[in-house]
Amino acid sequence: MRLDVVTIFPEYLEPLNVSLVGKARARGQLDVRVHDLRDWTYDRHNTVDDTPYGGGPGMVMKTEPWGAALDDALADGYEHGAHGPVLVVPTPSGRPFTQELAVELSERPWLVFTPARYEGIDRRVVDEYATRMPVYEVSIGDYVLAGGEAAVLVITEAVARLLPGVLGNAESHRDDSFAPGAMAGLLEGPVYTKPPEWRDRGIPEVLLSGHHGKIARWRRDEALRRTTANRPDLIERCDPAVFDKKDREMLSILGWRPGADGRFGRNPEAVEE
Ligand SMILES: C[S@@+](CC[C@H](N)C(=O)[O-])C[C@H]1O[C@@H](n2cnc3c(N)ncnc32)[C@H](O)[C@@H]1O
């Protein structure tokens, strides 16, 4: 996979040399190219921003440097269709970044990121490139960062670990929180490792039983417990067909019951523990 990042803070992307992403780069699984937007400015002050039309606080990033930088990055290897690039625009006003979107992006061969600063980029830049390639405007959460570089790091790490051969154990993301399939999009429950006793704290007996069926059931119950507590919205949205008899029993114990459409909701009569 190829990744291009255009930014006014190339050094902010240094973590892309570390850990999983860094190793994937070293192995040639990821071709990361970081470009300094100021290399496409031609005035004495390397200006990338200007005052907003219509007035108001803050500055807006100018069209010309972005257009010139993106044209050059894209010219080097431009392809259409399935092999072509997609533009990933970090913005708090974008669609939420989810595991599902990470999977979708991991299937593309080339991502071009435009992390902004100030009040964002003149809208005409996104409109212009949307005529040439798919554009994903993506938010990493309901808060406002000072710039999009941290969002690029977040998205890159979530996408890179899904690429074939990047994680040591290909099964690792099968049981992750939000994973579709067997995990049904639930949160993952608690995990434990050696030693078996630490500061008078043991580990759940069942994990030592060697009984795969019981361990799987315990993990599933813990996933349900954690998801109902921390992310009830995930249970509410879940297709009820993913819940087996034991899941339903556990959900009932946790104070949830199916509504008229079969989807689970909190039982208003349930007593809070
Ligand atoms: C100060 S923010 C601009 C916020 C903008 N005025 C708004 O309210 O939508 C500057 C840049 O940081 C990045 N950014 C900030 N919050 C983000 C978020 N939650 N997700 C993704 N990118 C974000 C975007 O690149 C954004 O253009």
Side-chain angles (χ1 to χ4, degrees):
M1 174 182 269
R2 174 171 160 186
L3 304 177
D4 285 80
V5 187
V6 182
T7 170
I8 57 168
F9 292 121
E11 62 277 24
Y12 208 122
L13 281 306
E14 276 299 310
L16 294 179
N17 289 315
V18 178
S19 183
L20 177 129
V21 175
K23 284 189 190 139
R25 285 180 86 170
R27 283 197 296 258
Q29 291 160 322
L30 273 181
D31 171 10
V32 181
R33 306 180 191 190
V34 178
H35 312 274
D36 186 344
L37 181 68
R38 292 196 199 276
D39 289 346
W40 287 272
T41 54
Y42 300 100
D43 65 311
R44 206 154 46 94
H45 302 289
N46 300 115
T47 311
V48 292
D49 59 310
D50 208 335
T51 52
Y53 275 122
M59 301 294 271
V60 174
M61 297 192 93
K62 292 162 69 63
T63 50
E64 298 98 325
W66 277 105
L70 289 172
D71 283 351
D72 280 355
L74 293 167
D76 181 12
Y78 191 78
E79 289 198 55
H80 284 287
H83 298 293
V86 300
L87 197 66
V88 183
V89 182
T91 165
S93 53
R95 63 194 267 200
F97 184 59
T98 58
Q99 188 65 12
E100 203 181 345
L101 185 50
V103 171
E104 192 175 328
L105 293 177
S106 74
E107 287 160 1
R108 303 292 310 209
W110 184 3
L111 309 179
V112 181
F113 291 96
T114 59
R117 290 267 148 181
Y118 314 105
E119 295 309 319
I121 307 171
D122 185 310
R123 181 69 205 175
R124 290 169 292 180
V125 174
V126 169
D127 292 344
E128 163 77 9
Y129 290 92
T131 65
R132 302 195 212 167
M133 67 191 74
V135 173
Y136 292 79
E137 293 184 76
V138 180
S139 165
I140 62 160
D142 293 346
Y143 40 77
V144 178
L145 301 165
E149 289 77 8
V152 173
L153 296 176
V154 167
I155 297 169
T156 300
E157 188 153 313
V159 168
R161 67 191 289 283
L162 296 172
L163 298 178
V166 167
L167 277 190
N169 180 351
E171 307 268 280
S172 292
H173 40 74
R174 196 197 53 195
D175 298 338
D176 281 341
S177 298
F178 313 112
M183 274 298 288
L186 300 172
L187 304 182
E188 191 178 321
V191 292
Y192 300 87
T193 185
K194 293 176 264 312
E197 270 308 303
W198 180 73
R199 298 190 183 176
D200 289 333
R201 293 169 188 277
I203 62 167
E205 279 290 294
V206 62
L207 297 179
L208 299 170
S209 69
H211 191 299
H212 297 306
K214 284 190 182 154
I215 293 172
R217 187 63 248 168
W218 179 85
R219 288 195 169 135
R220 182 79 169 189
D221 287 345
E222 290 304 307
L224 287 165
R225 203 185 289 282
R226 195 172 263 191
T227 312
T228 51
N230 294 346
R231 292 293 304 276
D233 57 305
L234 294 179
I235 303 276
E236 284 156 5
R237 273 189 271 140
C238 230
D239 176 355
V242 303
F243 297 129
D244 65 15
K245 189 161 162 273
K246 296 272 184 205
D247 292 339
R248 288 163 187 271
E249 280 170 22
M250 187 62 191
L251 283 167
S252 168
I253 292 168
L254 294 167
W256 288 66
R257 70 176 180 197
D261 61 355
R263 286 184 193 276
F264 276 78
R266 240 190 246 283
N267 180 356
E269 286 150 32
V271 185
E272 292 275 335
E273 278 180 35

